[in-house]
């Protein structure tokens, strides 16, 4: 039972290791662009959300919880809302990378780990994402 409960976190740690190992480009933890404090904020959000998610998984089984709330309309609406937001995040990954292949490589982690995966991507690539939306003078 404990192994089954922790297996997704092992898979997530493997994903994080691979994402960090194969990262090339901007420094992982230091911003070299405008709004530099934002990178620290995104990393902090990632670490905090990861810690809370691990805590929640130690308290309840996510699949049992989803099964019990799924019959409610608002639960289904929240699920649709989440995955619509994740689709937008995948589109931003595509815009930032310019590659359908790289977006496809992030697809499964984003679908499985939702905002934990997108926060990791945004933290790793903060400067390049900010530059996509920066106003050119």
């Amino acid at each position: 039972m404990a192994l089954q409960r922790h297996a997704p976190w092992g898979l997530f740690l493997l994903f994080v290791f691979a994402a960090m190992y194969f990262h090339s480009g901007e420094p992982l933890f230091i911003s070299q662009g405008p709004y530099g404090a934002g990178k620290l904020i995104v990393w902090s959000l990632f670490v905090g959300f990861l810690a809370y998610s691990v805590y929640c998984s130690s308290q309840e089984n996510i699949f049992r919880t989803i099964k019990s709330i799924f019959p409610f309309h608002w639960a289904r609406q929240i699920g649709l809302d989440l995955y619509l937001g994740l689709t937008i995040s995948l589109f931003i990954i595509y815009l930032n990378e310019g590659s359908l292949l790289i977006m496809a490589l992030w697809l499964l982690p984003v679908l499985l780990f939702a905002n934990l995966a997108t926060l990791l991507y945004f933290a790793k690539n903060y400067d390049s994402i900010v530059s996509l939306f920066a106003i050119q003078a």
Side-chain angles (χ1 to χ4, degrees):
M1 177 78 157
L3 180 62
Q4 184 180 14
R5 178 178 284 190
H6 298 298
W9 294 117
L11 185 61
F12 184 71
L13 285 176
L14 183 64
F15 162 68
V16 170
F17 175 78
M20 302 282 255
Y21 181 79
F22 291 111
H23 176 74
S24 62
E26 68 186 66
L28 282 173
F29 303 108
I30 299 168
S31 174
Q32 297 178 329
Y35 317 108
K39 188 163 190 149
L40 178 61
I41 291 169
V42 176
W43 275 113
S44 298
L45 287 170
F46 170 72
V47 169
F49 191 54
L50 176 60
Y52 185 63
S53 297
V54 170
Y55 168 76
C56 289
S57 72
S58 74
Q59 301 298 306
E60 294 179 356
N61 180 302
I62 189 170
F63 300 109
R64 253 185 277 146
T65 301
I66 290 171
K67 186 178 178 181
S68 69
I69 65 170
F70 192 72
F72 298 106
H73 289 284
W74 276 110
R76 291 189 299 255
Q77 190 278 343
I78 289 167
L80 288 170
D81 184 44
L82 169 66
Y83 283 95
L84 176 62
L86 294 175
T87 302
I88 294 167
S89 295
L90 284 166
F91 181 65
I92 291 172
I93 291 171
Y94 170 73
L95 289 177
N96 190 51
E97 299 292 339
S99 166
L100 285 173
L101 176 61
I102 302 247
M103 186 198 72
L105 290 172
W106 278 87
L107 179 65
L108 186 59
V110 166
L111 292 177
L112 291 176
F113 302 110
N115 287 316
L116 283 172
T118 59
L119 280 169
L120 176 63
Y121 182 86
F122 288 0
K124 289 178 355 110
N125 298 287
Y126 177 80
D127 287 335
S128 60
I129 293 169
V130 167
S131 72
L132 290 173
F133 300 100
I135 298 173
Q136 303 297 322

